[in-house]
Amino acid sequence: MISLLTEGLAAMGCGLGAGIATIGAGIGIGKIGGSAMDAIARQPEAAGKIQTNMILTAAFVEGCALFAIAACAFIIK
């Protein structure tokens, strides 16, 4: 009985962790995009460099979120 409860709580914790990682990544990428648009509006001539850095940073954030979700999935079994 206790083992079943422990497994259920572990699965719930993994799901909650994956959800928080996804929400955090979405917020982070949104802030990156918003800040990049502000920077491009202030200096349109630097749009190419800003866009490149924005895409690279968003990819890193997405990679970290994917790693967190995969770790949660592997913990469930």
Side-chain angles (χ1 to χ4, degrees):
M1 182 72 171
I2 293 176
S3 175
L4 185 62
L5 179 65
T6 305
E7 289 179 16
L9 289 175
M12 189 172 72
C14 289
L16 188 64
I20 290 172
T22 304
I23 291 170
I27 291 170
I29 291 173
K31 290 188 106 170
I32 291 168
S35 296
M37 293 302 110
D38 287 342
I40 290 172
R42 292 176 192 216
Q43 288 187 334
E45 65 275 359
K49 286 186 176 184
I50 293 169
Q51 185 177 9
T52 302
N53 289 330
M54 176 193 70
I55 291 171
L56 186 63
T57 307
F60 287 147
V61 170
E62 191 69 28
C64 289
L66 186 62
F67 180 72
I69 293 169
C72 288
F74 286 131
I75 289 173
I76 291 175
K77 294 180 184 179

